Every structure is written in C-alpha cells, then in structure tokens.
Amino acid sequence: LFTLPEIPYLQGADAREVSVRDLILLVGGLFLIGKSVREIHEKLEAAREAGDEAPRPARPPTFAGVLVQIAILDIVFSLDSVITAIGMVDVVWVMIAAMVIAMLVMMAFAGSVSEFVARRPTIKVLALAFLILIGVMLVAEGFGQHIDKGYIYFAMAFAVGVEMINMRLRKPTHPVPGEMPGSPQDG
C-alpha cells in the first residue's frame, strides 16, 4: 500500500513496505494489547476497591460487543493460517472444511475452558498476559520484524508450568470448614 520512511529498526526495504496483511496484523496486535491491558487494569482496580469497600458490579458485555471482539480475534489469528493454507492446498473446499471444523471444535470447548478460567483468576491473568505477548508479536510482524515463534511458545509453556506449580502449592493440605472435599481451590 505504501512505504514508511527510514526510521531506526526499520531500515530494510522489506520492513518499511506496508501491505494490507501488515495493517491487519498491526491493528489486531494493538487491539489485543489494548483489550488485555484494560482487562488486567480492571481486575486490579476491582481487587483494590474490594479491599476498600464493596466491589462495583461489573458491566455485562453486550452481545454485539462480544461478537465484534470474537470476529476481530478470529480474523487476526486466522490470517497467517489462511495464507499458509492457500499456499499448501490446491482444493479450496478442503481448506474451507478444515476451517469450519476448527471453528466448531473451538466453539465446543469454549464453555469448559471459560469455566476453568473463571474458577482460577490467576489463569485468567496469565491468559491475558499471553494475549499481550501475542499482540506484541503481531505488531512486530506487522512492522516486518520476525520473532521466532519457538521463543514465544517456550515462554508460554514455562509460564504455564510455573502457574501449575503455584496452583498445586496453593491447594489446601487439609479440608477447609464449610467447603466440600475435592472442590477446586485457587487462592
């Protein structure tokens, strides 16, 4: 679409050429960063206010707002996969079927995953931190800077491992009065 002027870290011609794909990655990455930072900030404010007074009830999301967010996230996360699939598959219906099946699997497990995360607030913060990391990676990719995904996946796996250890350590060693034995705990 256009070429950026020479600025530090973007001296190569490839890094300065901006395409539609780059704009989608930039906007999607900035959306992920902004949304995740806002969610973490709201959690911190709610925790701070809970210490001072009764927490304010959270404003429920609108149906249209949720749909727009899902659509934006789906477009951003699918862009690279779609481009790769187009390059690898000669039969278009195979690509379409694979994408529909992937979407159905995501929808089938969305309830269980969201229930798991809702019961464990630290997992939600970790997931939001992952979204910030992915957003930064998308912005870097949008500016033509490649970050090896192996580093990202390793960092995420390490963080999940540490959180699993933390969850295990926070689990009470003896039953708490008034709670059912075996109920999931997260402190």
Side-chain angles (χ1 to χ4, degrees):
L1 296 175
F2 56 90
T3 303
L4 295 172
E6 281 194 39
I7 53 177
Y9 303 109
L10 296 177
Q11 284 128 4
D14 290 344
R16 294 184 297 125
E17 297 292 328
V18 178
S19 66
V20 172
R21 175 187 178 275
D22 296 332
L23 288 178
I24 291 173
L25 291 174
L26 284 169
V27 169
L30 291 173
F31 173 78
L32 282 178
I33 293 168
K35 179 74 173 153
S36 300
V37 167
R38 193 175 106 224
E39 288 281 331
I40 290 173
H41 177 72
E42 287 175 0
K43 283 189 84 47
L44 289 172
E45 286 298 312
R48 185 177 63 101
E49 289 176 4
D52 297 340
E53 60 193 52
R56 290 181 291 164
R59 181 177 47 117
T62 64
F63 183 71
V66 170
L67 284 179
V68 168
Q69 289 178 22
I70 290 171
I72 290 172
L73 290 173
D74 197 29
I75 290 168
V76 169
F77 286 128
S78 299
L79 184 67
D80 279 339
S81 302
V82 169
I83 292 170
T84 303
I86 289 171
M88 292 176 62
V89 178
D90 292 330
V91 184
V92 175
W93 74 266
V94 171
M95 181 181 59
I96 293 170
M99 292 176 72
V100 168
I101 291 169
M103 187 175 65
L104 291 173
V105 168
M106 284 191 312
M107 291 172 69
F109 289 102
S112 341
V113 171
S114 67
E115 182 181 314
F116 176 82
V117 170
R119 287 188 317 226
R120 295 164 179 85
T122 56
I123 294 289
K124 183 175 183 178
V125 172
L126 184 63
L128 290 168
F130 287 169
L131 288 178
I132 292 171
L133 183 63
I134 292 167
V136 168
M137 185 185 70
L138 290 173
V139 169
E141 292 275 339
F143 278 117
Q145 307 300 310
H146 178 70
I147 299 173
D148 187 5
K149 289 178 179 59
Y151 294 125
I152 304 294
Y153 297 148
F154 177 79
M156 289 176 162
F158 183 79
V160 167
V162 169
E163 181 57 29
M164 293 300 127
I165 292 170
N166 281 333
M167 286 172 53
R168 185 118 171 132
L169 290 174
R170 283 191 299 259
K171 188 180 282 191
T173 55
H174 53 288
V176 177
E179 290 191 6
M180 294 178 55
S183 64
Q185 299 294 315
D186 192 15

